[in-house]
Amino acid sequence: MKLFNSLNRQVEELEMGDGEMGVYTCGPTVYSYVTIGNWRTYTLGDLVVRVLRMNGKEVNYVMNITDVGHLTGDNLGDANTGEDRLEKAAIKENKTAWDVAAHYTNDFLYWYEKLNLSKPSVFCKATDYIEEQINLIKQLEERGLTYLIGDGVYFDVRKYEEMGFEYGKLSTLDQIQAGARVEVNQEKKDARDFALWKFSQAEEKRHMEWDSPWGKGFPGWHIECSAMSMKYLGEQFEVHVGGEDLRSTHHPNEIAQSQGATGKEPFVKYWVHGAFLLVDGGRMGKSLGNAYNMVDVVDRGYDPLALRYFYFTGHYRKQLNFSWDGLSASATTLRRLREKIAELRKGNLEMKENFKGQLEEWNQKFMSAVNDDLDMPRAIAIVWDLVRSDEVASVKYELVVNNWDKVLGLDLDKEVVIEIDSGVEELVKKRDEARVNKDWQKSDEIRDQLMELGYEVEDGAEGTRVFKK
Ligand code: AMP
Ligand code: ZN
């Protein structure tokens, strides 16, 4: 299996080894609803896990939940400024930060399942591992890699470099500069230094704060991922996944903390970064009103798995442009695929010895696509090639449903349920009458009416067919 490794900036053959592989994905910051952009990244993590398992590997999958310490400035370059996202949301919603975290965590877990994402062996919440984070900071302190300033304990990047490590191997410098919109803390020894522990300020009343050897406060954002991933996956593990914005600060900082504490390199062998989801050709943002979430998707009548299908229409290393029309097209295609499978189910599904050759040939095509740096557009095209081919039903069913759907996670064996209101049935009847009478204008009018009611309209051999979008 090949993956693009951001560490070496090339597509590499994965060394699988004998034992279990550790995979870690940076999870959500639970201060608001997870967006369809974030879900693209979690679907990438899921895909890495599914494809490794398909290749016969055992995987220990871990994902964190950030419920403290992620500051508003953290993704912008100088990773230790701004307000705590959770505390800020708590003020806005007139709740405690704990309640805010619990609410959005539950929502995240609900949709996580609906999107068929691989369940990690643990979803670790940062606030459950304060002791581990403090211990890791102590370890860094013992190695002379920290210093204290007015607002907290910081990681000393220059000292880390003196130990012989290279800082920021992953980072694409342009991105840091493009994002560096926050003021650099003047007390820091080096602009690249970042907070490990931040002190509660006298004037603020935080909901989340803990005692530490350095003073009351809370952990910096990066330390949680080092502490929790090493706790569950060991000081060195195989794959780490995240969105492309984490490549230049969060992940270099995770590496520096972990390698600085253990002295072992590499902390993680393969770093996988997913490109962003755009909306209508531009950035997705809360202030732009286009940071759609799963409720927006299902409120418009779409199956959450239609979104999963939509993600597969683009390669994970390319930005993918979301539009409601695009999602609608994916929903239709997924429905058609499920219909094809339903037809197969009616056929003869008996497996015969002499099918082996075809099974292997097709499977090899599919596996070489997913193993080629997760080329899902190609994999999906192969699914359609097979479904439309002259192969017998049992070969198609065996491959698509019993094997490939383990990677696709699209519930392809799901019955296509057509729910139609009685008023709509009436319209369908009228439209068919109009078509019999060759009254095209009326037929078109009724089609528009049906579409406005949220139905897709198809002209089948037996007349009008409608589907809920
Ligand atoms: P956050 O909740 O901000 O910590 O982000 C959670 C994850 O979603 C991170 O891995 C981000 O890189 C990723 N992410 C944020 N925005 C997008 C987007 N528009 N498209 C894809 N991934 C994103
Ligand atoms: Zn992380």
Side-chain angles (χ1 to χ4, degrees):
M1 175 184 178
K2 287 192 203 135
L3 274 180
F4 183 88
N5 184 0
S6 304
L7 206 52
N8 301 326
R9 293 158 205 265
Q10 60 190 20
V11 177
E12 288 179 1
E13 186 65 45
L14 249 73
E15 278 175 41
M16 298 280 196
D18 295 329
E20 186 182 70
M21 285 177 93
V23 180
Y24 183 93
T25 296
C26 290
T29 306
V30 283
Y31 69 109
S32 67
Y33 294 113
V34 166
T35 68
I36 56 172
N38 302 140
W39 287 119
R40 182 183 191 203
T41 298
Y42 307 137
T43 304
L44 169 63
D46 164 68
L47 207 54
V48 169
V49 171
R50 284 173 179 266
V51 173
L52 284 171
R53 288 187 175 145
M54 202 60 178
N55 281 287
K57 285 307 297 178
E58 285 203 18
V59 176
N60 185 4
Y61 189 37
V62 174
M63 185 182 276
N64 70 306
I65 289 180
T66 301
D67 55 358
V68 68
H70 192 173
L71 307 186
T72 48
D74 273 350
N75 292 18
L76 304 176
D78 187 20
N80 41 58
T81 48
E83 295 166 86
D84 186 312
R85 292 173 195 233
L86 266 293
E87 300 274 343
K88 189 177 168 190
I91 293 168
K92 200 172 119 208
E93 296 187 22
N94 201 17
K95 288 181 180 169
T96 68
W98 294 102
D99 290 339
V100 168
H103 174 77
Y104 293 113
T105 301
N106 287 338
D107 185 79
F108 167 72
L109 296 175
Y110 178 81
W111 294 112
Y112 192 92
E113 221 178 284
K114 297 279 176 218
L115 281 162
N116 276 350
L117 302 178
S118 305
K119 202 167 172 353
S121 58
V122 57
F123 273 116
C124 35
K125 279 189 226 167
T127 52
D128 287 340
Y129 299 85
I130 298 297
E131 195 183 328
E132 284 81 352
Q133 295 174 72
I134 290 178
N135 286 340
L136 188 56
I137 301 169
K138 278 196 211 156
Q139 227 173 312
L140 291 169
E141 191 175 39
E142 278 158 24
R143 289 180 162 249
L145 287 165
T146 65
Y147 62 93
L148 206 74
I149 52 176
D151 70 346
V153 181
Y154 279 71
F155 186 90
D156 192 330
V157 171
R158 285 186 216 166
K159 284 271 173 59
Y160 174 70
E161 287 173 332
E162 281 164 23
M163 278 173 80
F165 291 117
E166 184 188 336
Y167 174 82
K169 254 193 206 175
L170 278 179
S171 129
T172 41
L173 204 64
D174 306 359
Q175 279 178 16
I176 292 191
Q177 308 223 313
R181 283 187 274 131
V182 286
E183 254 177 63
V184 173
N185 179 339
Q186 294 302 333
E187 275 189 274
K188 288 201 304 187
K189 292 191 195 169
D190 188 298
R192 299 169 301 170
D193 296 347
F194 53 91
L196 298 165
W197 187 264
K198 288 209 84 177
F199 301 134
S200 300
Q201 298 300 308
E203 70 277 9
E204 69 173 345
K205 187 68 212 101
R206 290 183 57 89
H207 299 133
M208 291 176 168
E209 56 183 2
W210 296 264
D211 287 325
S212 83
W214 311 281
K216 193 169 260 191
F218 58 98
W221 172 36
H222 317 294
I223 197 75
E224 65 170 273
C225 284
S226 291
M228 299 189 292
S229 65
M230 290 201 288
K231 179 179 175 90
Y232 288 108
L233 302 173
E235 292 180 346
Q236 294 180 289
F237 61 92
E238 283 73 24
V239 187
H240 199 308
V241 182
E244 62 185 350
D245 61 328
L246 303 186
R247 189 172 162 176
S248 294
T249 50
H250 183 56
H251 288 162
N253 294 351
E254 274 190 44
I255 294 175
Q257 292 164 154
S258 305
Q259 294 184 169
T262 66
K264 293 180 188 164
E265 189 175 11
F267 161 48
V268 172
K269 256 184 171 164
Y270 305 99
W271 287 86
V272 180
H273 290 105
F276 265 26
L277 184 77
L278 307 178
V279 172
D280 297 326
R283 199 175 67 82
M284 201 179 70
K286 295 230 159 58
S287 54
L288 301 172
N290 64 6
Y292 302 121
N293 59 43
M294 291 311 294
V295 171
D296 296 319
V297 169
V298 296
D299 271 359
R300 283 170 167 82
Y302 296 108
D303 178 343
L305 296 182
L307 182 64
R308 196 175 158 93
Y309 190 103
F310 176 77
Y311 291 144
F312 295 158
T313 62
H315 189 268
Y316 80 89
R317 277 197 289 128
K318 290 212 184 88
Q319 291 188 328
L320 177 65
N321 185 35
F322 175 87
S323 65
W324 291 108
D325 284 347
L327 182 61
S328 178
S330 287
T332 305
T333 320
L334 175 59
R335 198 195 65 237
R336 294 220 171 104
L337 189 53
R338 285 182 180 153
E339 279 177 352
K340 293 267 184 207
I341 302 296
E343 278 166 31
L344 293 178
R345 226 183 294 120
K346 290 185 210 143
N348 178 4
L349 295 185
E350 191 195 336
M351 281 310 284
K352 296 203 177 126
E353 192 54 29
N354 61 346
F355 295 161
K356 228 173 150 189
Q358 287 106 299
L359 285 174
E360 269 170 23
E361 200 178 304
W362 280 99
N363 196 42
Q364 211 245 326
K365 273 196 214 173
F366 181 84
M367 287 309 292
S368 64
V370 296
N371 280 339
D372 182 9
D373 196 23
L374 309 172
D375 192 343
M376 295 314 288
R378 205 166 103 210
I380 289 279
I382 292 164
V383 172
W384 278 105
D385 284 350
L386 172 62
V387 166
R388 290 184 178 132
S389 74
D390 299 333
E391 299 290 354
V392 294
S394 51
V395 166
K396 294 182 182 177
Y397 192 85
E398 171 64 16
L399 286 168
V400 178
V401 176
N402 294 339
N403 286 281
W404 301 349
D405 206 23
K406 288 191 184 130
V407 168
L408 302 169
L410 291 170
D411 291 355
L412 293 177
D413 212 11
K414 198 167 143 180
E415 290 282 350
V416 181
V417 187
I418 306 176
E419 293 168 30
I420 303 172
D421 303 335
S422 59
V424 171
E425 232 170 303
E426 197 58 32
L427 282 173
V428 168
K429 238 204 249 153
K430 278 197 188 141
R431 181 163 187 263
D432 283 341
E433 277 166 22
R435 289 173 69 79
V436 169
N437 299 331
K438 299 204 172 7
D439 186 348
W440 307 123
Q441 196 186 339
K442 188 159 182 202
S443 145
D444 285 353
E445 272 169 25
I446 300 179
R447 189 197 54 209
D448 292 348
Q449 237 176 313
L450 286 165
M451 283 168 71
E452 250 169 55
L453 289 168
Y455 288 85
E456 283 177 56
V457 181
E458 249 179 37
D459 296 322
E462 296 106 50
T464 303
R465 286 165 26 107
V466 289
F467 302 95
K468 259 208 171 115
K469 275 196 276 179

